[in-house]
Amino acid sequence: MRLVFVENRGKTVFWSAVAQHLAADGHGVGWIVQNPTYRPNGAPGDVFDLGFPKAADLVAAPIPEAVSTDRGRQYFGAGSRHYTFYRGRIADALDSLRPDAVIGEPTLMHELLTIAECRKRSIPYLHPAMTRYPGGRFNILDGDTQIPVAGSDDTWPAARLSDLASAISEARSLPSYMAKPPAMAARMRQLRRVEAQARTTLGWLRGDRFNTPSPARKITLQRALKENLAAWTALARMPDGAGPIILYPLQMQPEANIDVWGRPYSNQVALVRQLLAALPQNGRIAIKANPKSKYEVSPEILALARETDRVILLPLNRSMNDAQAVSTGVVTVSGTVGFEAVFGRGRCLSLRHPVLEYHLPEFHAHSPEDAVARLLTDPQAGRGSPARGADLLAQLVSDSFEGTINEPTYDPNCLSPANLARVTAAFGQVLDTLPLKAVA
């Protein structure tokens, strides 16, 4: 098959290594590159450089649905006048490279536009992403959705599923992204991050003004975050008094998990207002900040807490267990807390978890209003057990593959020969299920 990879900054190094293995297996390889600083030098295949728009290329036009939550426009001041240029260049790239499948992420502006162009042409866009549970596995998802294109059909013994389900329910097993590395590994990671940030700045200097904020903008955003967290601390309190309390854990933004998978609930302030309107007058919303807070801790969420005492900002040092203990139930868009409820850890309804909607609908809500109503009237809504969790794990294992998808900056072991072999084998298995749909 003809495969095209979409450049994704530091992760391109990982995909270059995977591409070499796939090429050795007989697949053709190509690349779509938005930021030339991350051009996959030495990797197999032709490279289509999208280039940067000139002043005459920047035109006013309606914002495409694909980039309705683009972080560049929403947080970095990139505007929208470049979308028409990139749509055209991506179309040219697909027509030139003629892929049977495209491999990439649904994170950056050019990736989201590529997904839309692939969809027009019925070209599969494969998005590999690590699972939250169980650890050490990944899905190959369909475009900008959370729906697997295909799975491994692996099965685990019932005892293994039960043991892990119990560990998750008791918080003895956490997703890999929550694990803290040893001190030496953390120090090495920080050094690699400094190098990666320098490369990102170089990309901005070379012309990437659409996915990358300027150094000045970045400093301004970090200063604003610090000020907003201080304001949060000044407003923070624990709930008191009677009445139902819905817990809403803020999801970090920018992040594809909420910005893309969470649509149409990516505006978390608007979502909190919907939840509040669905509650009786004595009901309140308690908001828990993300432990890795970014720009979702916004002036708008602070203003809402000042506007009404029915919105409670919980102290930053309170754990999820503390927050759940004072709430009637939790509503999340696409947060991990929604999966954990299936295992009996807390009580939660999710708005945008397809695996729950399709396989465990009692943990899914069709709307914010539906979530509130069910949490208040049905004592069993969103309430799981280790046994239910074991059933979910069986599905997650079947839908996923063993291996690690990551950026070497954060996990150099992703480039180990054993891991590359596992990832390549998984792609081989999925590609065998796809029809040839090359662009004519």
Side-chain angles (χ1 to χ4, degrees), residues 270-285:
L271 174 58
V272 170
R273 288 187 181 276
Q274 274 188 269
L275 294 171
L276 193 63
L279 280 166
Q281 281 302 308
N282 66 337
R284 290 166 292 169
I285 303 292

Side-chain angles (χ1 to χ4, degrees), residues 244-246 278-280 328-331 347 349 362 365 368-383:
I245 296 174
I246 295 298
L279 280 166
T328 307
V330 185
V331 176
R347 181 181 180 226
L349 292 176
E362 60 269 43
E369 293 77 13
D370 176 45
V372 171
R374 286 168 55 200
L375 288 172
L376 297 192
T377 61
D378 180 359
Q380 296 307 310
R383 197 181 299 279

Side-chain angles (χ1 to χ4, degrees), residues 127 132 139 141-148 257 261-262 333-334 339 352-355:
H127 167 218
R132 287 175 256 206
N139 295 119
L141 305 174
D142 180 12
D144 55 0
T145 77
Q146 298 179 72
I147 301 172
N257 187 14
W261 290 345
V333 179
S334 52
F339 282 117
R352 299 293 291 154
H353 273 317
V355 70

Side-chain angles (χ1 to χ4, degrees), residues 97-249:
L97 296 170
R98 302 177 63 242
D100 294 303
V102 175
I103 300 170
E105 295 204 17
T107 304
L108 301 175
M109 168 272 304
H110 66 288
E111 295 165 334
L112 296 169
L113 291 173
T114 300
I115 291 171
E117 292 300 316
C118 284
R119 195 164 280 144
K120 288 182 186 177
R121 295 164 169 75
S122 296
I123 301 171
Y125 187 103
L126 310 179
H127 167 218
M130 294 300 293
T131 59
R132 287 175 256 206
Y133 293 110
R137 298 182 71 85
F138 67 96
N139 295 119
I140 298 181
L141 305 174
D142 180 12
D144 55 0
T145 77
Q146 298 179 72
I147 301 172
V149 175
S152 64
D153 293 328
D154 289 348
T155 59
W156 283 6
R160 184 179 183 185
L161 294 171
S162 180
D163 288 347
L164 180 54
S166 295
I168 293 171
S169 72
E170 298 165 8
R172 292 184 287 108
S173 177
L174 299 173
S176 57
Y177 69 87
M178 293 185 183
K180 293 184 179 180
M184 182 57 71
R187 175 61 178 162
M188 294 303 296
R189 178 185 292 186
Q190 183 59 32
L191 291 174
R192 292 192 300 269
R193 286 187 66 180
V194 170
E195 180 184 356
Q197 289 167 356
R199 194 173 183 185
T200 299
T201 300
L202 176 61
W204 181 83
L205 291 171
R206 293 180 66 177
D208 179 25
R209 308 299 165 87
F210 310 106
N211 284 325
T212 305
S214 70
R217 178 81 174 189
K218 191 74 172 178
I219 291 170
T220 299
L221 288 169
Q222 290 303 111
R223 184 180 296 124
L225 173 59
K226 185 176 180 179
E227 293 172 355
N228 290 340
L229 287 172
W232 181 296
T233 297
L235 292 167
R237 58 193 170 95
M238 293 298 288
D240 55 12
I245 296 174
I246 295 298
L247 173 64
Y248 181 73

Side-chain angles (χ1 to χ4, degrees), residues 285-329:
I285 303 292
I287 304 178
K288 183 185 181 303
N290 191 285
K292 299 180 180 179
S293 297
K294 291 189 75 174
Y295 313 140
E296 76 283 356
V297 179
S298 63
E300 291 77 16
I301 201 73
L302 296 169
L304 181 57
R306 294 188 182 102
E307 176 185 318
T308 172
D309 61 6
R310 296 178 64 209
V311 171
I312 300 166
L313 304 182
L314 297 178
L316 296 175
N317 61 356
R318 293 291 181 166
S319 68
M320 181 63 78
N321 286 344
D322 293 339
Q324 289 176 317
V326 297
S327 69
T328 307

